Amino acid sequence: MTYRPTVRGRRLARELRRLREAQGLTLQEVADRLDWSRATVSRLETGQTRPKPNDIADILDLYGVPSPARDALINLAREAGQRGWWTAYADVFTGSYVALEDEASQIRTWDPQLIHGLLQTEDYARSVITAGRMLPTPEDIERRIDARRARQALLEREQAPRVHLIFDEGVLHRPIGGPEVMAEQLVQLGAMASRPRITLQVLPFDAKEHAGLDGRFTILSFPDPADPDIAYVEGTMGDVYLESAEAIATHGDRFARITKAALSPEESAHLIAEAARRCT
């Protein structure tokens, strides 16, 4: 099973690299002293392999890391190595996004084409998945529906993340699944907008040119200050995860500009309700 690094896994990987560089050691030197391959050390530092507590203990001993820091990092390895609910859907979730989203305290997304997956009704999701994924069998489609339902449970937690979603007005007018499916989806969207931890905004047609023309993106923030924000850009040729301070600042500024150009949450809720009435 392919390893999908969690936030804790990424934190551990960053710390391992920092410790090695503080010792002035190369990847090859560490590998030689531990009788490992260079690739093994590299995969640990980039979060590409599930960390084993015993391996982490060996590498920390090499770096001379004392307790309690040593104990904390070994415990972090145990937490990072735990399998999350998403591993049951490894055939559906091919990247790290869901593992990261699951630990986020705030999710900010701009999407010019679709209602966010966390807020999709089952029939709307089925229409999107059927048209966009070109899957070979009905069973494959239903498998993805089940995975999306499991993912949406994130919003029902006691400590659900704060969610701020902005989408283009055109999303309200594209009758995905037909009028009945779209009406149900818009009613659901209106209900979700009333939740205190969910903010929905619509970017109106009269916004003209705007900062979101380059396409969809998401910014994930986390409760621990040690974990930097991650900007996620999804594409048909692969997903991109951006963590540099410069990239995060750029995407944060872009989201702020889109927020300013969009209708207020109250105006957006009114527009969503109007669109729902037109579908019925």
Side-chain angles (χ1 to χ4, degrees), residues 3 8-9 12 50-54 56-57 71-82:
Y3 174 60
R8 292 176 180 86
L12 177 63
R50 189 179 303 278
K52 298 177 182 178
N54 288 341
I56 300 304
D71 297 337
L73 289 171
I74 292 173
N75 187 59
L76 189 61
R78 292 193 183 98
E79 294 175 348
Q82 292 175 353

Side-chain angles (χ1 to χ4, degrees), residues 183-278:
E184 179 190 27
Q185 175 64 81
L186 292 174
V187 169
Q188 159 89 346
L189 197 62
M192 298 299 283
S194 67
R195 294 193 179 191
R197 299 186 71 81
I198 296 179
T199 300
L200 299 182
Q201 288 184 262
V202 178
L203 187 74
F205 289 137
D206 61 13
K208 300 180 180 179
E209 64 275 7
H210 56 82
L213 291 174
D214 279 347
R216 181 187 189 277
F217 65 91
T218 292
I219 303 173
L220 300 176
S221 301
F222 305 97
D224 194 318
D227 301 316
D229 289 356
I230 294 174
Y232 168 73
V233 181
E234 181 180 8
T236 56
M237 301 303 292
D239 302 339
V240 177
Y241 300 86
L242 304 169
E243 299 183 60
S244 72
E246 181 180 2
I248 295 302
T250 297
H251 282 77
D253 179 60
R254 183 172 294 149
F255 192 85
R257 290 170 183 265
I258 300 170
T259 299
K260 186 175 181 180
L263 299 175
S264 70
E266 294 74 22
E267 293 170 323
S268 298
H270 180 70
L271 197 62
I272 291 168
E274 282 188 348
R277 286 193 291 270
R278 286 197 300 268

Side-chain angles (χ1 to χ4, degrees), residues 97-141:
Y97 177 78
V98 172
L100 299 172
E101 180 186 73
D102 191 71
E103 297 188 52
S105 58
Q106 183 181 35
I107 301 168
R108 290 172 284 170
T109 295
W110 153 249
D111 195 330
Q113 297 192 64
L114 292 171
I115 291 168
H116 195 284
L118 286 174
L119 303 186
Q120 290 178 6
T121 65
E122 185 171 312
D123 288 336
Y124 183 97
R126 182 175 290 105
S127 298
V128 170
I129 291 169
T130 301
R133 296 288 180 174
M134 297 179 286
L135 298 169
T137 69
E139 290 75 19
D140 292 320
I141 294 171

Side-chain angles (χ1 to χ4, degrees), residues 3-16:
Y3 174 60
R4 315 294 183 204
T6 62
V7 175
R8 292 176 180 86
R10 286 176 174 245
R11 189 192 310 164
L12 177 63
R14 289 195 305 272
E15 186 63 12
L16 291 177

Side-chain angles (χ1 to χ4, degrees), residues 122-196:
E122 185 171 312
D123 288 336
Y124 183 97
R126 182 175 290 105
S127 298
V128 170
I129 291 169
T130 301
R133 296 288 180 174
M134 297 179 286
L135 298 169
T137 69
E139 290 75 19
D140 292 320
I141 294 171
E142 293 308 311
R143 174 69 172 162
R144 288 185 174 271
I145 296 296
D146 289 343
R148 186 153 302 189
R149 190 183 301 114
R151 177 186 167 201
Q152 290 174 343
L154 173 67
L155 299 182
E156 305 306 321
R157 294 178 184 170
E158 184 176 349
Q159 296 297 325
R162 285 175 287 122
V163 178
H164 187 173
L165 309 176
I166 310 175
F167 53 87
D168 191 83
E169 184 178 349
V171 171
L172 301 177
H173 299 282
R174 187 180 300 279
I176 289 177
E180 291 185 5
V181 170
M182 196 63 192
E184 179 190 27
Q185 175 64 81
L186 292 174
V187 169
Q188 159 89 346
L189 197 62
M192 298 299 283
S194 67
R195 294 193 179 191

